Amino acid sequence: MISKTLRTSLSRALRHPTSYVFLFVLAAGLVMAYARAEPALTQREITWLILFSLVYLLTGTVGFMCVLGPRPPAYKIAYLAFQIALGMFILYLGRGNGWLVMLPLASHSIALFSPREAVLPCLLITLGIAWNTSQLLPGWIPLLQSAVVFGSAVFFAAVFTNISISDARRREEIERLAAQLEQANCALRDYTAQAEELAALQERNRLARDIHDGLGHYLTTMHLQINLAAAMLDTDPAGARQALDKTQALLHAALADVRRSVAALRSESGMGVDLRDALQPLITESQVAGLITELTVSGEVRNLPPEVEMTLYRAVQEGLTNVQKHARAKRVQVRLDYAPGAMHLSVQDDGEGSAQDITDMALLKDSFGLFGLRERVRLLGGEMHIHTAPQQGFQLEIHLPTA
């Protein structure tokens, strides 16, 4: 694990430009120390100076990359303490010359800690440089002068580094936000495409429900009337004629229903008439087909949202059509209740009923009309229930909120 970390840090140090800046400043400091040392450095002193400088360079590049980033504070403190002590020793070997070797540590302090936390290590760096450069001159005055002069250099290095790091972080943040924005734009485009597909699918389903509930009802009734007319044609021509007249009337009603559906597609207006008046032709058609059909309205009659009116209308239409086609009933009762904040509809016949338990609506997929009606009701936040049993008729119940 340690060897892997060192290899990674060495690879980062070789690619990072700060490592080469550190090398350049260290080399300039060593040249300064060699050229300005009085008396001149001996061969032994030069050897020790180079050896300690190599350790200082290795720690300041590879070691710095090891502690840079989300590392425990203890590692960063240990790194700076070691480097400050080693840098002061290098200055001591150079007889107070080559103070440039300490400047990179001010930048490292800013990179490892916040500006407020970096004040202490920068102060230690300044005192270390000042003490080493004034060691040949007695008294406090040279120490204070060195502290002021070299403290300005350390302060400049720290401020410049802080500005550079802040600018780099801002660029990284901008790039990160730009990448997130691009991802959000891609997700939004995908969502828009899915929303368009879903809207198109919902519209197709709505058209299918309208065609089935509206035109399908009239076609079913006309089919029954035409069969009746064909059966009576030889034995009762007048009755056949009457059945054909009813078929013609149903055809006009079907055309009116188609026009009403087309108008509903173009706008969100209602059916144009009161719901009771709109239901009356359906009741009349059912009575003409031979069913004793009754419409009972209770509660305080009021204007309803267009989609609620249309759903209730289609429900009665679908219920009566199913009674005529399948129930073999004699009587059908339609109840419409204007309850506070809701509408309740019941279509109940006295026909044969069904032995199948469809209270959970699981079998509705076999009946497109009831399945589509359930979709209409669910889209409006309502509930639809079916009650049936052998020889107990068939009851369709719908509860719709009107708020």
Side-chain angles (χ1 to χ4, degrees):
M1 183 67 182
I2 296 178
S3 60
K4 181 179 179 180
T5 303
L6 289 176
R7 287 197 301 270
T8 303
S9 301
L10 177 60
S11 176
R12 290 179 60 192
L14 291 175
R15 296 193 309 268
H16 209 280
T18 58
S19 300
Y20 298 99
V21 174
F22 192 95
L23 173 62
F24 176 79
V25 174
L26 176 60
L30 293 178
V31 171
M32 181 189 299
Y34 177 78
R36 299 184 59 181
E38 292 183 5
L41 300 176
T42 63
Q43 187 65 37
R44 181 183 179 87
E45 291 173 332
I46 293 175
T47 302
W48 282 110
L49 186 64
I50 293 175
L51 289 176
F52 282 109
S53 297
L54 290 176
V55 176
Y56 186 70
L57 174 63
L58 184 63
T59 308
T61 53
V62 180
F64 175 67
M65 292 299 166
C66 287
V67 299
L68 185 63
R71 299 292 183 182
Y75 290 3
K76 300 177 181 181
I77 294 174
Y79 164 78
L80 278 179
F82 177 79
Q83 283 294 84
I84 290 174
L86 189 57
M88 291 179 63
F89 187 69
I90 292 174
L91 278 182
Y92 177 78
L93 289 177
R95 299 193 178 95
N97 298 292
W99 57 271
L100 285 175
V101 298
M102 297 284 286
L103 281 185
L105 298 184
S107 299
H108 288 185
S109 300
I110 295 294
L112 296 177
F113 300 99
S114 66
R116 180 176 297 180
E117 295 171 338
V119 170
L120 180 58
C122 288
L123 181 61
L124 293 176
I125 293 169
T126 300
L127 294 177
I129 296 175
W131 181 78
N132 278 283
T133 54
S134 62
Q135 61 179 313
L136 299 180
L137 300 175
W140 287 96
I141 300 301
L143 179 62
L144 292 176
Q145 290 177 342
S146 298
V148 171
V149 173
F150 297 112
S152 301
V154 172
F155 176 77
F156 174 80
V159 171
F160 180 80
T161 302
N162 185 53
I163 294 174
S164 300
I165 292 176
S166 299
D167 185 62
R169 288 173 179 170
R170 282 194 295 269
R171 287 198 302 271
E172 291 176 357
E173 182 67 13
I174 291 174
E175 292 174 357
R176 184 184 65 84
L177 292 176
Q180 290 182 351
L181 180 60
E182 180 61 26
Q183 292 177 356
N185 287 334
C186 292
L188 182 59
R189 286 193 292 269
D190 294 340
Y191 174 77
T192 302
Q194 294 174 3
E196 291 176 352
E197 293 177 1
L198 179 60
L201 178 60
Q202 291 176 339
E203 186 62 19
R204 288 196 297 269
N205 289 338
R206 187 164 79 95
L207 290 174
R209 290 194 298 266
D210 284 340
I211 292 173
H212 177 277
D213 297 343
L215 191 58
H217 163 78
Y218 289 104
L219 291 177
T220 299
T221 307
M222 286 188 288
H223 175 71
L224 295 175
Q225 293 294 328
I226 292 174
N227 287 340
L228 179 62
M232 300 172 61
L233 186 60
D234 295 331
T235 59
D236 187 4
R241 178 66 183 177
Q242 186 179 7
L244 290 176
D245 291 340
K246 293 177 182 178
T247 302
Q248 186 177 18
L250 288 171
L251 179 60
H252 289 300
L255 290 174
D257 187 81
V258 169
R259 295 190 188 98
R260 183 165 53 244
S261 297
V262 172
L265 290 175
R266 293 180 176 178
S267 67
E268 294 298 327
S269 60
M271 294 181 294
V273 295
D274 183 81
L275 180 58
R276 293 174 301 178
D277 296 335
L279 293 178
Q280 197 57 52
L282 299 179
I283 302 300
T284 303
E285 293 167 13
S286 180
Q287 293 171 342
V288 169
L291 282 170
I292 301 174
T293 309
E294 299 176 359
L295 172 63
T296 303
V297 179
S298 60
E300 183 179 353
V301 179
R302 62 184 182 275
N303 292 329
L304 300 174
E307 59 273 14
V308 173
E309 284 187 345
M310 183 59 69
T311 299
L312 293 173
Y313 177 85
R314 294 303 187 191
V316 174
Q317 195 175 49
E318 176 65 22
L320 294 178
T321 300
N322 287 337
V323 172
Q324 295 175 31
K325 290 171 61 177
H326 310 296
R328 296 183 182 178
K330 296 180 179 179
R331 180 184 298 272
V332 58
Q333 179 72 44
V334 179
R335 296 183 179 90
L336 188 64
D337 179 21
Y338 285 81
M343 290 294 296
H344 305 303
L345 172 68
S346 172
V347 180
Q348 184 174 11
D349 64 66
D350 61 352
E352 296 179 346
S354 174
Q356 294 178 317
D357 181 12
I358 55 175
T359 56
D360 60 352
M361 316 297 280
L363 301 179
L364 286 190
K365 290 185 178 180
D366 296 332
S367 173
F368 183 83
L370 292 177
F371 188 77
L373 184 58
R374 183 183 65 168
E375 287 183 339
R376 287 179 182 270
V377 172
R378 284 186 171 180
L379 287 175
L380 297 180
E383 296 180 356
M384 173 175 164
H385 303 284
I386 292 176
H387 308 283
T388 183
Q391 305 306 320
Q392 295 186 21
F394 191 95
Q395 182 182 17
L396 172 66
E397 285 188 338
I398 292 178
H399 307 282
L400 283 179
T402 59

